[in-house]
Amino acid sequence: MDKLIYTAMTGAKELFGRQAAVAHNLANAVTTGFRAEEHRLRAVPVVSQALPTRAFAVEASVADDFTPGPLTQTGRTLDVAVQGQGWIALAMPDGSEAYTRNGHLEVNVNGVLQTHSGVPVQGDGGPISIPPDNEITISKDGVISLKSSSGAQNVVTQVGTIKVANPPEAELVRGADGLFRLRDGSAAPADPNVQVAPGFLESSNVNAVDQLVAMISLQRQYETQLKLLSTAEQN
């Protein structure tokens, strides 16, 4: 009886966490490059001086869905999408490296190439600086070329290469800022096999229909936990 009561009680509690994850996924169904999140539960026995029949439902793991999302053509010069597996590397303020699939880039007032949220993009030698009054072109291998809009307009200059990496997905963890990092905090090496699609953005890989069905299913599971508690009380 203890096992039924404690499993149902903690199961109902943990279902709130899963419901919050589903709501978070739905809220980011249109966020560029977003990766869906999934919470998994399991029952474990309580090892203590208490009764050995007690078991808790706990969160076993938080999994991320790394399935690539569909690409949408924008035609914007500074929009890039990673094709297939891979990540765009970002230079964090603390000197570490983070990874994103959101290739909606811009140039700040200091001429530094950065994400829409203000994080500099990692180049082959650090953050990439782009002089003003230039036409920007990004190739499939991430090379950024400039052509002056005045003066010698036929001269093309390469100013840097966007670092793209393909670290093992099992080693990636999502931070509170939504960016991914390697579990040990190191920087992944650049992967020349990863290519980007200039003028495209990757949409979220969240399937809104699946998430809505999951939300209904979680609500039914929660009701089941409450019924089990009621049954245990009657017994």
Side-chain angles (χ1 to χ4, degrees), residues 33-54:
F34 182 78
R35 288 292 178 265
E37 187 177 72
E38 180 183 358
H39 290 235
R40 297 168 181 167
L41 308 180
R42 66 188 178 98
V44 297
V46 178
V47 181
S48 67
Q49 299 299 323
L51 294 176
T53 58
R54 294 177 179 175

Side-chain angles (χ1 to χ4, degrees), residues 31-188:
T31 300
T32 303
F34 182 78
R35 288 292 178 265
E37 187 177 72
E38 180 183 358
H39 290 235
R40 297 168 181 167
L41 308 180
R42 66 188 178 98
V44 297
V46 178
V47 181
S48 67
Q49 299 299 323
L51 294 176
T53 58
R54 294 177 179 175
F56 281 174
V58 299
E59 186 175 77
S61 64
V62 178
D64 295 298
D65 182 5
F66 291 106
T67 305
L71 301 186
T72 302
Q73 186 173 10
T74 65
R76 183 172 174 267
T77 303
L78 291 178
D79 283 344
V80 291
V82 179
Q83 301 187 63
Q85 303 297 323
W87 300 83
I88 298 172
L90 304 179
M92 304 305 293
D94 60 359
S96 63
E97 212 171 75
Y99 305 97
T100 183
R101 297 278 297 194
N102 187 347
H104 184 64
L105 308 179
E106 59 186 29
V107 180
N108 66 13
V109 293
N110 297 318
V112 177
L113 185 66
Q114 63 180 23
T115 64
H116 187 64
S117 58
V119 182
V121 175
Q122 185 73 278
D124 46 4
I128 303 171
S129 296
I130 298 179
D133 300 326
N134 284 280
E135 296 180 10
I136 304 172
T137 303
I138 302 177
S139 65
K140 291 184 178 181
D141 53 2
V143 175
I144 301 176
S145 302
L146 302 180
K147 185 171 68 172
S148 177
S149 56
S150 60
Q153 299 184 8
N154 294 327
V155 178
V156 177
T157 307
Q158 294 183 0
V159 295
T161 303
I162 297 175
K163 180 181 177 180
V164 286
N166 190 17
E169 295 175 349
E171 298 298 321
L172 291 172
V173 292
R174 190 197 306 254
D177 53 5
L179 302 176
F180 287 83
R181 295 167 176 81
L182 285 175
R183 198 177 304 275
D184 59 3
S186 62

Side-chain angles (χ1 to χ4, degrees), residues 4-25:
L4 170 60
I5 294 173
Y6 277 84
T7 304
M9 175 185 66
T10 55
K13 174 180 177 294
E14 295 296 340
L15 282 173
F16 275 112
R18 291 192 64 187
Q19 193 76 287
V22 172
H24 181 64
N25 289 340

